[in-house]
Amino acid sequence: MSGVRKIRLVVLISGRGSNLQAILDQAASGELPVEIAAVISNRPGVAGLERARQAGVPALELDHKNFPGRPEFESALIELIDRHRPDLVILAGFMRILTADFTGHYRGRLLNIHPSLLPKFRGLHTHERAIAAGEIEHGASIHFVTAELDGGPVIVQAQVPVWPNDDPDTLAARVLEREHRLYPQAIHWFAEGRLRLDGERVLFDGQPLDRPLRLENPSG
Ligand code: GRF
């Protein structure tokens, strides 16, 4: 591995955890300079928690249904996350809307992966919507999380073609494969200290990005 110091990472999930798996695998092989301090799911018993356990990573459940409202859930979540002293917190299929209090607490050290080429198709059902809109290109984005849903500054994107015979499932599978390379790449840059949030802009190697990086060609 490169001489980069390992950062402490907390991963928030709600389900399957295939992005988590890609990160666990790269952390285990030493490709990714991270120590995964904890994986936390707001849904009990999901597959992603089992993936964490298999990798020897603390797998924690914090069921949002056990709290009277969003603020109470989020304070408990912040307390649980902060107990693990993360340098970086990532949302990997975490399906809860977060308040400005939460996103403000982790500002500049909270990332999300979204399955579209943001700013296109914020929110849910992105693959269906991309097909319905007649897009010929689709993909996924990694962005810093701010108070605006799927609206924080985009760091890097991966593009895939949309084929005429695609349905949402075939398109989702093509995008997901790229997601599994995209998240590790962004985390790697963060660990190397190459990424920073500066107001509403991303700085990469100290320079503001005027458009998102592309997975294929990060410096281009
Ligand atoms: C991914 O498509 C991700 O982009 C979106 O939720 C999905 C999570 O999949 N935010 P997985 O749980 O990582 O398999």
Side-chain angles (χ1 to χ4, degrees), residues 87-216:
D87 300 297
L88 178 65
V89 179
I90 67 162
L91 312 177
F94 184 71
M95 301 301 287
R96 298 299 295 166
I97 288 174
L98 297 167
T99 68
D101 284 345
F102 186 96
T103 59
H105 184 84
Y106 296 106
R107 190 171 173 84
R109 53 190 182 112
L110 181 61
L111 303 183
N112 181 40
I113 187 161
H114 183 75
S116 79
L117 297 174
L118 289 170
K120 288 184 176 174
F121 310 118
R122 294 178 183 178
L124 297 174
H125 310 299
T126 57
H127 309 303
E128 271 150 84
R129 288 159 61 206
I131 291 171
E135 298 287 335
I136 56 168
E137 191 179 59
H138 184 46
S141 307
I142 306 285
H143 64 95
F144 278 108
V145 178
T146 58
E148 197 184 344
L149 180 68
D150 299 328
V154 179
I155 299 163
V156 58
Q157 296 181 320
Q159 283 81 1
V160 301
V162 181
W163 301 123
N165 56 351
D166 268 328
D167 62 34
D169 292 340
T170 58
L171 185 55
R174 191 172 311 122
V175 172
L176 195 62
E177 206 185 307
R178 308 290 286 139
E179 291 186 33
H180 296 162
R181 290 186 44 214
L182 195 60
Y183 230 155
Q185 175 65 82
I187 294 166
H188 207 292
W189 286 332
F190 190 92
E192 290 173 314
R194 302 180 72 182
L195 280 181
R196 268 204 318 120
L197 179 64
D198 176 42
E200 287 301 311
R201 325 180 286 184
V202 177
L203 301 186
F204 186 72
D205 288 342
Q207 298 301 315
L209 293 182
D210 50 12
R211 60 193 148 84
L213 299 165
R214 293 173 80 107
L215 183 60
E216 296 74 8

Side-chain angles (χ1 to χ4, degrees), residues 41-96:
S41 173
N42 67 304
R43 290 208 188 112
V46 295
L49 288 168
E50 186 52 31
R51 294 179 193 265
R53 272 184 221 109
Q54 291 289 330
V57 168
L60 311 170
E61 292 174 355
L62 191 73
D63 189 344
H64 62 275
K65 295 202 189 93
N66 294 340
F67 295 86
R70 207 177 288 281
E72 292 85 355
F73 167 65
E74 286 189 355
S75 341
L77 184 57
I78 288 176
E79 199 189 306
L80 186 59
I81 294 171
D82 287 354
R83 224 180 279 163
H84 295 88
R85 294 175 290 106
D87 300 297
L88 178 65
V89 179
I90 67 162
L91 312 177
F94 184 71
M95 301 301 287
R96 298 299 295 166

